[in-house]
Amino acid sequence: TGTADVAIEVARNLKKKMGGGALASDAVVGVDPSHNMLAHGRVKVAAAGFHASAVRLVQGDAQDLSQTLKAQHKFDAATMAFAIRNVPDRLKALKSIASHLKPGARFAVLELGEPTFPPARWFVRYCVPFIGAMLSGGARAEYQHLEKSVLNFHSNEFAALIKEAGLTLTSVRMMNFGAVGLYVAQLPVESAAAPAAAAASPPAADEAV
């Protein structure tokens, strides 16, 4: 969720589909481990004109959503943008997310990766940390972490984890010479998601980000 940019965009799309009507409680639920990120996000949600109960931001860990969401929370869709590469146990997170999807629900992940085009790969390795440090006033270590996390995220390995989590990988679209990947998966209709998933209950929300 970060500062709720994706959550707000999802809420806007939902509102359009509803013909401009008010969103129900928990129409969009965003989860992030950072209290400060969520605080900024709540300000942006209010500025975008959404009630805090309709776009609800909660502190939690993607690796164990049972600590944040009730078992009966089942979503029509879920998304994660530029975050999964920083999750220590990606498989655990994917299984946790799958356990909160309705059968047939889609899950989309947008993530950075190592470019396949040599000049672009060189730019990520050597220029990103330097430029980032200049723009941020010297915080080079943070951008070195970005470089390392990007270079350590491999598309094929992540695609295999998605399948291992009990999801059907429907498409992978690599963009910008492989620097960005969009992974779209679906929980099989006949599936009960990951082994730890609770039995389906009446839906409590529509979108998770």
Side-chain angles (χ1 to χ4, degrees), residues 1-4 30-39 42 57-65 68 80-84 86-88 93 209:
T1 290
T3 58
V31 180
D32 195 280
S34 170
H35 172 78
N36 290 336
M37 286 281 197
L38 293 172
R42 292 187 181 104
L57 306 182
V58 294
Q59 191 168 6
D61 184 349
Q63 297 169 109
D64 188 7
L65 291 174
T68 303
M80 182 179 281
F82 307 119
I84 192 66
N86 293 317
V87 176
V209 293

Side-chain angles (χ1 to χ4, degrees), residues 171-182:
S171 67
V172 177
R173 181 185 176 190
M174 304 307 296
M175 299 167 280
N176 296 336
F177 303 109
V180 180
L182 175 62

